[in-house]
Amino acid sequence: MQRPVMIGLILLIVGNLFSAFYDVSIKWLPSDTSASTFLLVRQISSVFMLLPVWLYSQRPMTTHISVHLWRANIGSVGALFLIIGLMALPLATVSSLFYSAPLMIILMGYFFLRERITTAQTICTGLGFAGILIILRPSEMNWYGVAVLFSAFTFAVNQLALKKVPHTEHPVLTLMLYNLLGIPATIVIVAFQGVAGLSWELVGVALLSNVFLLIYHWLCVLAYRKAQASDIAIAEYTGLLFIVFLGWLLFDEWLDNLSWLGAALIVLPSLFLPWLGSLFLKSTPKVLTSVPKVADTITLKS
């Protein structure tokens, strides 16, 4: 294995460890905390933490404020539902359901952006959604699971919306506007629900969770600069392993056999997507001309 690829894999694995720490930090919230109150504190503190970086980067600006506004408001709702899910469900269950976002990106890219969907992607998507049904178990419908699934949907919408933002825009600007422009919508939600659980402990968890997210973003940027996305994207799925381990270690949480099966159906097909694509390419060379990289459907948390 080439050295840049090895370094990229290590950086991405460590980055996903910090992403798992972010999910764990939600579990440390006081029991009387309102999800919307925490989200508002996290957004405000995130803006103040990113402000020095924005200033240091010579105050980059955007010409696509409407796209950022759209993403920020959708993201606020999605983040709220994810926090609600993390506060109520085992970490591994939330993480498994959230990994459905790449599958949703494939489908929405096909229906709304006219992107090609290959036979391999069709198989992976079908298996993934079968895994979602197994985890959710409609006969034992858990609305917290539906909330996480909706959060994954909003995440997928946001990632597709990024296609409207030029690659030349500074990443710190995207992160800061995502939080800053989402604050008004969160304030409306807080005003409707009422402030609950506001304390220094909540502020501390919000600051810590922001640190985890920023480290995750930073390591991901370094990783994808070191190596091609297709060579290292497989490391993204180590996040689920970290979540399962931390849930067991810190909160005595564990997936049952059916949930393990559902998680496998969501994650494993995407891991084998390049191999499946190559297989179908060999068998039907005139029909399929290219297979998108796994990394095209795996993106950063916001």
Side-chain angles (χ1 to χ4, degrees):
M1 184 180 293
Q2 297 179 348
R3 181 180 175 84
V5 175
M6 179 64 73
I7 295 175
L9 284 171
I10 293 173
L11 288 171
L12 203 52
I13 290 172
V14 176
N16 274 274
L17 177 60
F18 280 95
S19 174
F21 284 154
Y22 167 76
D23 292 345
V24 168
S25 69
I26 305 299
K27 292 286 190 180
W28 293 335
L29 287 171
S31 58
D32 61 342
T33 298
S34 163
S36 57
T37 301
F38 170 74
L39 176 60
L40 180 60
V41 174
R42 188 180 71 76
Q43 287 176 326
I44 293 174
S45 59
S46 180
V47 170
F48 280 107
M49 293 174 70
L50 289 167
L51 187 59
V53 183
W54 178 73
L55 293 172
Y56 178 78
S57 304
Q58 300 180 345
R59 303 180 182 182
M61 302 300 290
T62 183
T63 57
H64 295 75
I65 192 67
S66 60
V67 178
H68 289 292
L69 185 63
W70 167 263
R71 292 186 70 249
N73 283 277
I74 293 178
S76 292
V77 177
L80 178 65
F81 277 81
L82 179 60
I83 293 168
I84 291 172
L86 283 167
M87 293 174 69
L89 296 174
L91 289 170
T93 300
V94 174
S95 186
S96 299
L97 289 173
F98 199 78
Y99 271 108
S100 64
L103 306 177
M104 296 179 187
I105 290 174
I106 292 175
L107 287 179
M108 286 190 288
Y110 173 75
F111 285 111
F112 300 112
L113 300 180
R114 305 295 182 183
E115 295 180 350
R116 178 191 296 270
I117 182 169
T118 66
T119 304
Q121 287 177 313
T122 302
I123 294 173
C124 291
T125 303
L127 291 174
F129 281 104
I132 292 171
L133 290 176
I134 290 174
I135 294 177
L136 286 179
R137 297 171 204 174
S139 61
E140 307 172 14
M141 180 62 74
N142 187 319
W143 291 109
Y144 293 113
V146 176
V148 175
L149 207 56
F150 179 76
S151 176
F153 170 74
T154 61
F155 179 81
V157 171
N158 267 335
Q159 296 313 120
L160 288 175
L162 273 178
K163 292 179 178 289
K164 302 295 184 180
V165 178
H167 293 292
T168 53
E169 280 203 2
H170 200 289
V172 72
L173 179 63
T174 301
L175 285 174
M176 191 165 73
L177 290 179
Y178 187 82
N179 287 280
L180 179 64
L181 298 179
I183 290 175
T186 307
I187 289 176
V188 172
I189 298 173
V190 171
F192 178 76
Q193 291 187 335
V195 177
L198 186 60
S199 64
W200 287 113
E201 184 178 358
L202 183 147
V203 174
V205 173
L207 292 174
L208 190 61
S209 65
N210 281 331
V211 170
F212 290 149
L213 273 183
L214 290 176
I215 293 176
Y216 166 65
H217 285 301
W218 178 61
L219 290 174
C220 284
V221 170
L222 292 179
Y224 285 112
R225 285 179 178 175
K226 281 288 183 181
Q228 294 184 25
S230 58
D231 292 331
I232 63 174
I234 189 173
E236 292 278 5
Y237 289 99
T238 58
L240 181 58
L241 299 178
F242 288 133
I243 283 293
V244 171
F245 175 72
L246 291 173
W248 166 76
L249 181 67
L250 300 175
F251 307 106
D252 197 27
E253 298 174 350
W254 197 249
L255 290 175
D256 57 31
N257 292 335
L258 273 179
S259 295
W260 274 114
L261 175 61
L265 288 174
I266 293 172
V267 173
L268 292 181
S270 294
L271 291 179
F272 291 106
L273 181 58
W275 177 80
L276 287 173
S278 300
L279 185 64
F280 283 109
L281 274 171
K282 291 179 181 178
S283 61
T284 55
K286 295 182 180 180
V287 177
L288 300 178
T289 56
S290 64
V291 178
K293 300 173 183 177
V294 175
D296 291 339
T297 64
I298 301 175
T299 44
L300 304 180
K301 286 185 179 178
S302 300

